[in-house]
Amino acid sequence: GDSVTQTEGPVTVSESESLIINCTYSATSIAYPNLFWYVRYPGEGLQLLLKVITAGQKGSSRGFEATYNKETTSFHLQKASVQESDSAVYYCALGNTGANTGKLTFGHGTILRVHP
Amino acid sequence: EAAVTQSPRNKVTVTGGNVTLSCRQTNSHNYMYWYRQDTGHGLRLIHYSYGAGNLQIGDVPDGYKATRTTQEDFFLLLELASPSQTSLYFCASTGANTEVFFGKGTRLTVV
């Protein structure tokens, strides 16, 4: 089946430091998977951070970026300079195109703690 | 702004108890989903539906029933709750070519 593996947390960094959260995927049932990063702030539901549907493309949002690498089956999340407000849980996910786009395979989530 | 509202936000029940988790979306979305989130696991799909009266089995359906009474409302039923069902439950909705919207979650504890 499909699977997503991401960096074990918690990841602790200081404000203004750079960040990378690794994500690799295996898509056995989806020919052209869409890749996502979701974020969950304390007390909130998951929010879409960014998505990329085409291999080789990069997505970006709120200073975060991730490149869909089909050769290495990776979709690592990076940010050059984190802020304390970035503290949250980050989920890498893959899904299919079509109407049933909420049927997603998630990684286990990576807790990010940013210290001032 | 699309909205998915879950209730209750927190629930404690005893083993063998009967629990219903509620989800309402006001987005006019066709698809609705129930996921569970456990430490060390990503969100795992329990059941989903593509319209009122429809139900599809997800990846971890054992011990759960679900019912979609209207386009807006999707319920998750635990008729004989067990401690293994202690988890954080998320509801989500999506429509054609739209983003997936998640509720804030229901934390269920089975003691």
Side-chain angles (χ1 to χ4, degrees):
Chain A
D2 303 328
S3 65
V4 174
T5 303
Q6 60 183 101
T7 299
E8 288 285 343
V11 172
T12 303
V13 296
S14 298
E15 207 164 29
S16 79
E17 288 187 344
S18 63
L19 169 73
I20 181 165
I21 299 176
N22 292 327
C23 172
T24 57
Y25 67 90
S26 172
T28 58
S29 69
I30 304 172
Y32 303 100
N34 297 337
L35 298 178
F36 305 85
W37 278 101
Y38 283 87
V39 58
R40 181 164 66 91
Y41 298 103
E44 299 294 321
L46 280 77
Q47 303 172 19
L48 179 64
L49 180 59
L50 57 88
K51 77 172 187 180
V52 180
I53 65 173
T54 304
Q57 299 296 308
K58 179 168 70 176
S60 60
S61 174
R62 309 181 210 176
F64 290 91
E65 55 183 38
T67 300
Y68 185 160
N69 190 320
K70 188 176 180 181
E71 286 68 38
T72 60
T73 62
S74 66
F75 190 55
H76 306 321
L77 183 68
Q78 300 183 75
K79 189 173 187 182
S81 177
V82 298
Q83 301 171 348
E84 192 174 359
S85 58
D86 293 325
S87 297
V89 184
Y90 292 80
Y91 298 89
C92 185
L94 70 85
N96 209 342
T97 53
N100 193 7
T101 55
K103 193 171 186 292
L104 298 164
T105 299
F106 286 88
H108 53 67
T110 300
I111 297 172
L112 173 65
R113 296 179 180 145
V114 180
H115 291 303
Chain B
E1 173 76 9
V4 178
T5 303
Q6 294 183 232
S7 62
R9 295 293 312 279
N10 291 281
K11 175 74 176 179
V12 180
T13 191
V14 296
T15 299
N18 193 319
V19 177
T20 298
L21 307 185
S22 302
C23 177
R24 165 164 283 206
Q25 55 99 359
T26 57
N27 313 314
S28 300
H29 288 162
N30 290 329
Y31 282 86
M32 295 186 73
Y33 307 82
W34 278 107
Y35 285 90
R36 62 178 288 174
Q37 154 89 85
D38 303 294
T39 303
H41 290 94
L43 278 73
R44 293 180 289 174
L45 183 62
I46 304 170
H47 290 298
Y48 64 100
S49 165
Y50 57 73
N54 176 265
L55 181 64
Q56 303 293 316
I57 294 173
D59 300 320
V60 290
D62 292 348
Y64 300 95
K65 293 184 179 180
T67 180
R68 181 90 177 268
T69 55
T70 65
Q71 186 181 35
E72 294 78 19
D73 298 302
F74 194 31
F75 299 94
L76 187 67
L77 295 79
L78 292 74
E79 294 183 332
L80 286 171
S82 74
S84 66
Q85 294 176 307
T86 293
S87 188
L88 180 58
Y89 292 86
F90 288 102
C91 178
S93 75
T94 189
N97 300 314
T98 67
E99 180 182 332
V100 181
F101 291 94
F102 286 84
K104 294 185 177 184
T106 295
R107 187 166 294 282
L108 175 67
T109 303
V110 184
V111 298

